[in-house]
Amino acid sequence: MAATDTTGGTDPLVIAGETFGSRLIMGTGGAPSMRVLEEALTASGTELTTVAMRRVDPKARGSVLDVLRRCGIRVLPNTAGCFTAGEAVLTAKLAREALGTDWVKLEVIADEHTLLPDPVELLDAAEQLVDAGFTVLPYTNDDPVLARRLEQVGCAAVMPLGSPIGSGLGIRNPHNIELIVEQANVPVILDAGVGTASDAALAMELGCDAVLLATAVTRAQSPAVMAAAMRHAVQAGRLARLAGRIPKRRYAQASSPWEGIGTS
């Protein structure tokens, strides 16, 4: 396990050889204005932020891309809104041409109701994009088998959901997240379902390497304040993971030994 100081100042996140000081990755969807988004991004301390390429015109002024450039935050284009492998691959290639990056957050959803990943189309798209030289970060189900397959085809990270996108339900299956962490040789980034800071802290305590979230911040009553809370939650959860929690016990255990206690 990597060394760290008690402030979390070391122990950076490394994805595909790139180093990030923050383990909180932000999405940009749902912000009521560019001003609010910029305040939240600044408060979050994020160094990597996703942008839905199907909803952004890279040539337009005053877009989210301008905010990211102004804040010095790296752009991670995503394929949100794609339902097939073909759509996702095309969107990734357009993003590469428009933004000059081979990195892509891969989303291939099954339907508009659940926004859950389509595992068949997702794996197909991941294979095509890896073969085409992309650094692929796939949004996936909390399925350890699928996560392993995505890593085997060459994905640079795996991004299991905590619960459906925008639901705020937190991590519904922590056992599966732990199984994914145990077997992974690439970073595990919890993506989707985070509702509040304790969800982000739990993800890190379970062993995730980072957390990606958007609506928990952008649709909070005070986005910048919630972004700061998420920033500290991710740091606290990481430190707790590195520190090692005490075992859960069925019965009480005195914090001090009984030996030496006088009797009357």
Side-chain angles (χ1 to χ4, degrees):
M1 186 169 288
T4 187
D5 63 24
T6 55
T7 65
T10 58
D11 184 41
L13 171 67
V14 180
I15 305 173
E18 299 285 340
T19 300
F20 302 90
S22 172
R23 291 177 178 271
L24 176 58
I25 302 172
M26 284 282 296
T28 52
S33 70
M34 290 298 131
R35 179 186 60 79
V36 170
L37 177 62
E38 184 167 350
E39 291 174 352
L41 290 171
T42 300
S44 75
T46 188
E47 298 174 5
L48 184 64
T49 296
T50 61
V51 173
M53 292 308 298
R54 303 189 93 188
R55 302 189 184 100
V56 172
D57 179 358
K59 298 179 181 178
R61 292 189 174 183
S63 71
V64 65
L65 294 175
D66 289 332
V67 173
L68 298 183
R69 293 187 190 104
R70 190 161 54 245
C71 295
I73 298 173
R74 180 168 177 165
V75 178
L76 176 60
N78 74 30
T79 62
C82 293
F83 291 86
T84 68
E87 291 175 353
V89 170
L90 176 60
T91 301
K93 290 181 176 178
L94 292 173
R96 177 162 65 180
E97 183 176 341
L99 301 178
T101 176
D102 289 329
W103 283 43
V104 62
K105 180 195 167 187
L106 176 60
E107 289 188 32
V108 188
I109 57 175
D111 60 71
E112 294 181 344
H113 178 61
T114 65
L115 299 181
L116 291 172
D118 183 317
V120 175
E121 296 293 323
L122 178 68
L123 190 59
D124 183 9
E127 288 184 288
Q128 292 187 51
L129 290 171
V130 169
D131 289 345
F134 282 87
T135 297
V136 182
L137 289 71
Y139 162 63
T140 179
N141 297 293
D142 57 357
D143 177 352
V145 177
L146 180 58
R148 184 167 64 243
R149 290 292 303 276
L150 290 164
E151 180 180 342
Q152 289 171 343
V153 302
C155 292
V158 290
M159 307 177 75
L161 56 81
S163 52
I165 291 172
S167 67
L169 291 172
I171 300 175
R172 306 304 289 175
N173 197 338
H175 178 64
N176 273 20
I177 298 298
E178 287 185 309
L179 291 176
I180 291 171
V181 168
E182 286 176 9
Q183 71 179 11
N185 295 301
V186 294
V188 177
I189 302 168
L190 188 91
D191 182 5
V194 170
T196 189
S198 56
D199 299 329
L202 175 59
M204 300 303 291
E205 291 174 11
L206 292 173
C208 292
D209 296 278
V211 173
L212 194 158
L213 56 86
T215 54
V217 165
T218 57
R219 291 178 179 160
Q221 293 183 20
S222 299
V225 176
M226 183 61 83
M230 294 296 184
R231 176 181 189 167
H232 294 301
V234 167
Q235 292 172 344
R238 178 64 177 176
L239 287 173
R241 173 73 178 185
L242 295 175
R245 63 156 296 139
I246 63 171
K248 294 181 179 178
R249 303 176 63 89
R250 188 173 182 182
Y251 298 104
Q253 181 185 40
S255 57
S256 299
W258 291 102
E259 291 80 6
I261 296 179
T263 57
S264 59

